[in-house]
Amino acid sequence: MTFRTLDDAKDLAGKTALVRVDFNVPMEGGKVTDDTRLRVALPTIQRLRDAGAKVALLAHFDRPKGQRVPSMSLKPVVDDLETLLGAPVRFADDCIGPDAVDAIRELDAGGVVLLENVRFHAAEEANDPVFARKLADLGDLYVNDAFSAAHRAHASTEGIAHHLPAYAGESMRRELDALDAALGNPQKPVIGIVGGAKVSTKLDLLKNLVGKLDRLAIGGGMANTFLYAQGIDIGGSLAERDMADTAREIMAEAEARGCKLLLPVDFVVATEVKPGAAARPVAAGAALSADDKILDAGPATVARLLEALTASKTLIWNGPLGVFEVPPFDAATVTVARHAAALAKASVLTAVGGGGDTVSALNHAGVSDDMTFVSTAGGAFLEWMEGKPLPGVEALRA
Ligand code: AMP
């Protein structure tokens, strides 16, 4: 995987860099409630400023669907960004046209302007070439630092890259490096952990992974479907019983591709999903009642998973092993996450996780800082795990 990065961008003094960032931050009452995404963009902005470039930030916020929706303006982000950057940030009321042109012209070298929500124009999500050209005409180079938006071929994530020299920003580069180390060119043996609620939402992901991994541990509600497909009693557990054939196909594919599937050999069962509910470990194959629900992986399954992690060089993880939001059904997820993070901290395992609830599960286990990399990119991370080309990333290929 080779991408143009900021190392390849020369002679930036006085040039205007159009930088696509992900500023789709949580906001309440016009105030940013979590500035993580702003912080993530700082290294790229700072590097460009240090090189004497003018920085014009392109971003979307929420889903205005091509309308100018005042409550979806990016303006409230400016104050927080100024504080984090320690420098003034201008705001332009539109991302194309005279507002944008004037704001950029008035910047000094190293100055920063945030352009209004690109999704106020329907042409953004339609990847309209005329709109992409108008965006491109504002600057001299394009930098994409929004991996989380890279699975969409929109004008500010893909179309614009056809008109300007295009580079991966610092956070995009970190993400691509981590993903490459986890699945592109990983050190073997590679183990995957895929958990979460349903097989149906992760079919493409499972099919891609069985062709690439040495071991794949399946947990969470989706493991129930696999157990059911093997004739194991799962009582009244969450499962997609109509997906049993699909589960069997994935098992056969794993066997054919030399990927060892690790399905639960025991689990934690309770009759209600509530904090502190009476729970008992049950070996796979024992009889369950219709009230019994499998809510977490059992101790023997966890022990086997810890051993498999120790025997691996690379881990890619998506989805919790149980109902981690409700203790004690967080136990397997927390134990396995802590073991993976300890191995990563000791530099004997490259441990990468991400996608949806995985981030909150790893935060809940208190290990996010010790993992090699935790992707907050959600949909883009999952599509990448599915092996799909991401248009915003493809546009940056050298
Ligand atoms: P996903 O978004 O597909 O990764 O699914 C995450 C959700 O799966 C979390 O909210 C978990 O509570 C849920 N989950 C994990 N294991 C189970 C299980 N055994 N039964 C029901 N839900 C589960």
Side-chain angles (χ1 to χ4, degrees):
M1 282 215 299
T2 37
F3 300 96
R4 287 179 300 264
T5 69
L6 290 182
D7 293 343
D8 304 309
K10 309 279 185 231
D11 303 324
L12 294 174
K15 299 234 174 96
T16 297
L18 297 165
V19 184
R20 179 58 158 95
V21 289
D22 180 359
F23 281 179
N24 199 19
V25 289
M27 241 192 270
E28 258 169 52
K31 290 265 172 269
V32 177
T33 54
D34 179 345
D35 63 6
T36 309
R37 286 181 161 166
L38 306 184
R39 289 175 188 277
V40 161
L42 296 178
T44 294
I45 300 174
Q46 202 50 55
R47 182 164 174 176
L48 291 165
R49 295 184 69 223
D50 290 345
K54 297 181 178 187
V55 179
L57 301 170
L58 295 165
H60 76 273
F61 181 69
D62 215 331
R63 293 166 187 245
K65 304 219 163 100
Q67 305 291 320
R68 195 165 253 284
V69 181
S71 63
M72 295 181 193
S73 170
L74 275 165
K75 196 157 188 197
V77 168
V78 170
D79 280 354
D80 293 80
L81 188 58
E82 283 190 331
T83 308
L84 290 170
L85 205 55
V89 174
R90 292 184 62 118
F91 184 74
D93 273 325
D94 201 351
C95 64
I96 51 166
D99 283 331
V101 171
D102 293 349
I104 292 171
R105 188 189 316 114
E106 285 161 22
L107 288 181
D108 294 327
V112 181
V113 59
L114 173 60
L115 308 180
E116 182 57 289
N117 197 343
V118 286
R119 288 194 186 167
F120 281 1
H121 295 267
E124 159 66 4
E125 292 187 65
N127 199 8
D128 177 283
V130 176
F131 179 72
R133 173 93 248 175
K134 284 185 188 161
L135 289 175
D137 283 346
L138 296 171
D140 304 298
L141 63 144
Y142 169 69
V143 179
N144 191 347
D145 213 22
F147 177 80
S148 51
H151 56 317
R152 311 266 185 243
H154 292 172
S156 70
T157 61
E158 201 273 339
I160 185 173
H162 297 291
H163 302 292
L164 288 174
Y167 306 94
E170 300 292 273
S171 125
M172 172 74 92
R173 186 219 304 240
R174 262 192 82 213
E175 183 103 24
L176 294 177
D177 284 350
L179 301 191
D180 197 48
L183 208 51
N185 288 294
Q187 275 193 289
K188 289 180 159 272
V190 193
I191 182 169
I193 300 177
V194 178
K198 292 181 168 178
V199 175
S200 54
T201 57
K202 294 190 182 166
L203 262 186
D204 290 344
L205 189 152
L206 291 169
K207 286 182 178 160
N208 185 44
L209 290 186
V210 293
K212 298 206 160 142
L213 306 179
D214 301 297
R215 297 186 185 90
L216 174 59
I218 295 184
M222 76 157 66
N224 298 342
T225 302
F226 282 86
L227 297 171
Y228 173 79
Q230 291 179 301
I232 292 169
D233 192 349
I234 59 166
S237 302
L238 172 83
E240 292 164 290
R241 290 163 177 80
D242 56 340
M243 298 284 290
D245 283 343
T246 308
R248 280 188 287 265
E249 277 165 31
I250 292 169
M251 287 189 270
E253 178 78 8
E255 168 103 44
R257 306 289 298 262
C259 172
K260 186 169 169 44
L261 276 195
L262 302 175
L263 287 166
V265 291
D266 64 345
F267 20 75
V268 174
V269 170
T271 52
E272 15 171 43
V273 191
K274 68 170 200 204
R280 63 184 207 280
V282 174
L288 297 182
S289 78
D291 296 340
D292 284 331
K293 294 178 189 50
I294 299 170
L295 298 172
D296 198 11
T301 303
V302 169
R304 203 172 60 140
L305 201 39
L306 299 187
E307 264 173 44
L309 283 171
T310 304
S312 299
K313 291 249 164 52
T314 304
L315 162 69
I316 174 87
W317 187 344
N318 171 262
L321 295 172
V323 184
F324 75 98
E325 303 93 333
V326 187
F329 310 112
D330 58 343
T333 303
V334 168
T335 305
V336 171
R338 292 196 176 148
H339 188 67
L343 295 171
K345 201 172 178 190
S347 300
V348 292
L349 179 76
T350 298
V352 173
D357 276 329
T358 315
V359 180
S360 26
L362 295 173
N363 284 339
H364 173 75
V367 302
S368 293
D369 290 344
D370 289 338
M371 296 282 287
T372 311
F373 189 77
V374 178
S375 174
T376 54
F381 182 85
L382 289 174
E383 287 198 24
W384 168 82
M385 273 185 90
E386 290 168 358
K388 295 185 178 149
L390 309 181
V393 172
E394 293 305 309
L396 305 175
R397 277 194 193 278

